[in-house]
Amino acid sequence: MSQPISTTTRSRRELTAWRNAVFVIFILSGLALATWVARIPGIRDDLGLGKDPSAVGLLILGMSVGAILGLTVSSPILVRFGPHRGMVGGLVIVAVGILFIGFGATTFHSIPSVAIGLILLGFGNGMVDVMMNVEATAVEREIGKTLLPLMHACFSLGTVLGAGIGAAAAALGVAVVWHLLVTAVVIVAIAIVAVRYIPREAELGDEAAEKERIPFGERMRTSLAVWADWRLILIGVVMLGMAFGEGSANDWISLAVVDGHGQANSVGALVFGFFVVAMTVGRVVGGPIVDRIGRVNAIRITAGMGAVGLVLFIVGGPMWLVVIGTVLWGFGVSLGFPLGMSAAADGAANPAARVSAVAIIGYCAFLAGPPLIGFLGQHFGLLNALFLVLALLIAAFLAAPAVRPVDAPAERRAASPDPA
């Protein structure tokens, strides 16, 4: 097992409560994002935007900008205020953003209000993304088992819940504002209860001691200094390939099946379903597997599976072969993001800043990947554009040694499945 031994005397009950509380925060983060996504058609109609996708695209860009800003400031905020106030504060900002979206769309029919809401939603969720991953790596170390993949599966569960509730609300004719109002209240209420089970001594290990009143600007400079770490950059390469592969699949698999392989729309949707299920299953079962074979081997195996799957998907042939390729693609990108987060938090120096840095790389891949695939697809064909994803998965395979644990004692590293 490649995780370090627990160094505290917390009881099993306390550790379980801590772990479950972080599970809940991941679910709330996914729920918040999916709530907005599920009601996009209703929000578009309330704003009178017609069928022009570019207008909605500009609104989504505001959320993306907010997310990057939230990721950037998350580390100094976490060190200054701690995980309790940090995560609750981030989710309160998310809730306020959701309220701006709901009231701005349904009550005031105001595009600027919805834009402000999306910026706040992205900003708050970006902050929480780093904080919950840092907290997840802390409880992972204490329990001594790989938990990050399961944590990210909980995020996926939150998106499923948000999408299901949103679909039901739309089908029942519930106004966007009431749906979003209830969701905002629920998110804040559950967050306040959940963080009570997270230890207040975060044990973040950041170089800036919490008791010192270090200026915010100095904290920001310390956070940005981690970008000089080449190991962290290589971890970012792993996350870039995996996040690019996941984001491109989410946006383009269905269309690639329809346009590239000549299938019906229903088949495209079904194939995308295979991808989502494979990725979720990979995250649910991935933790125990990583504990047995180590992070490096896990990244190499999954990146290899993803590369083989992409070749099968691109080359095509019988649909059963395309489906097998899709499943391998889903398994292939399932562990890169959570294991990259876990690897970034290794060591005693600035784990929050390090997680923030690799999270920014991952988010940029999510944001830039799909449009780039679309641009390449317009000029070279959609299936041919996916060769870029293949190249990045190969790069992730080559950069896999960077995720090897660095804070385990030498004798444990010698026994670890991760090769020296």
Side-chain angles (χ1 to χ4, degrees):
M1 186 171 68
S2 60
Q3 294 297 318
I5 297 174
S6 173
T7 57
T8 70
T9 57
R10 292 191 179 91
S11 68
R12 175 58 57 181
R13 182 176 180 180
E14 290 174 322
L15 289 174
T16 300
W18 182 7
R19 180 203 64 190
N20 292 343
V22 181
F23 281 159
V24 169
I25 298 298
F26 271 83
I27 291 172
L28 292 178
S29 179
L31 172 65
L33 285 180
T35 295
W36 139 253
V37 172
R39 298 311 303 265
I40 285 178
I43 293 168
R44 181 194 62 189
D45 294 342
D46 286 344
L47 292 175
L49 296 178
K51 302 296 182 181
D52 182 10
S54 62
V56 176
L58 287 175
L59 290 175
I60 294 174
L61 178 62
M63 185 175 68
S64 301
V65 171
I68 297 298
L69 292 174
L71 290 167
T72 303
V73 304
S74 58
S75 172
I77 288 177
L78 178 57
V79 173
R80 174 64 181 84
F81 295 103
H84 281 217
R85 287 182 291 176
M87 285 191 285
V88 171
L91 287 172
V92 167
I93 293 174
V94 165
V96 172
I98 290 174
L99 292 177
F100 264 87
I101 295 170
F103 282 100
T106 304
T107 305
F108 302 112
H109 307 289
S110 168
I111 293 177
S113 295
V114 174
I116 292 172
L118 285 169
I119 292 172
L120 292 173
L121 173 59
F123 182 84
N125 225 30
M127 284 176 50
V128 172
D129 190 282
V130 172
M131 295 179 188
M132 68 187 185
N133 275 285
V134 171
E135 200 63 38
T137 58
V139 70
E140 183 179 69
R141 287 194 299 269
E142 294 298 317
I143 292 179
K145 295 181 180 179
T146 300
L147 296 175
L148 262 294
L150 188 56
M151 296 285 186
H152 284 257
C154 286
F155 177 89
S156 298
L157 174 60
T159 62
V160 170
L161 288 173
I165 294 171
L172 294 172
V174 177
V176 169
V177 63
W178 294 114
H179 171 206
L180 270 59
L181 173 62
V182 172
T183 301
V185 172
V186 168
I187 286 173
V188 173
I190 294 178
I192 291 172
V193 174
V195 297
R196 295 175 56 196
Y197 299 94
I198 295 175
R200 288 190 178 275
E201 65 280 15
E203 298 179 357
L204 298 175
D206 286 47
E207 292 174 351
E210 290 198 37
K211 293 182 180 180
E212 299 178 10
R213 296 296 182 180
I214 298 176
F216 184 82
E218 181 63 29
R219 293 186 189 275
M220 282 295 298
R221 283 190 291 273
T222 301
S223 298
L224 294 174
V226 301
W227 287 94
D229 183 349
W230 276 103
R231 174 179 175 268
L232 194 69
I233 299 301
L234 290 175
I235 293 172
V237 171
V238 173
M239 295 187 66
L240 174 67
M242 299 298 192
F244 200 103
E246 181 182 346
S248 298
N250 287 337
D251 286 284
W252 294 112
I253 273 187
S254 295
L255 197 58
V257 169
V258 174
D259 293 352
H261 294 299
Q263 300 297 314
N265 290 350
S266 58
V267 176
L270 181 62
V271 172
F272 174 66
F274 279 111
F275 173 85
V276 174
V277 169
M279 190 177 67
T280 303
V281 170
R283 286 178 171 174
V284 170
V285 305
I289 295 174
V290 173
D291 287 337
R292 291 183 65 87
I293 68 175
R295 287 185 200 150
V296 175
N297 287 332
I299 292 296
R300 284 174 173 165
I301 291 171
T302 53
M305 291 173 63
V308 171
L310 265 167
V311 170
L312 293 177
F313 183 90
I314 294 170
V315 173
M319 273 310 297
W320 61 266
L321 195 61
V322 174
V323 170
I324 290 176
T326 301
V327 171
L328 290 175
W329 184 358
F331 278 123
V333 299
S334 63
L335 297 181
F337 202 94
L339 291 187
M341 291 286 198
S342 186
D346 279 348
N350 295 326
R354 294 166 64 83
V355 169
S356 175
V358 295
I360 289 173
I361 294 174
Y363 267 73
C364 287
F366 276 122
L367 298 175
L372 181 56
I373 292 296
F375 173 80
L376 294 175
Q378 184 178 2
H379 291 82
F380 305 104
L382 191 50
L383 290 177
N384 288 331
L386 295 176
F387 278 111
L388 174 60
V389 182
L390 176 62
L392 291 174
L393 284 178
I394 293 173
F397 177 93
L398 297 175
V403 304
R404 181 181 295 112
V406 298
D407 57 348
E411 62 271 17
R412 284 180 59 78
R413 287 201 303 268
S416 170
D418 287 337

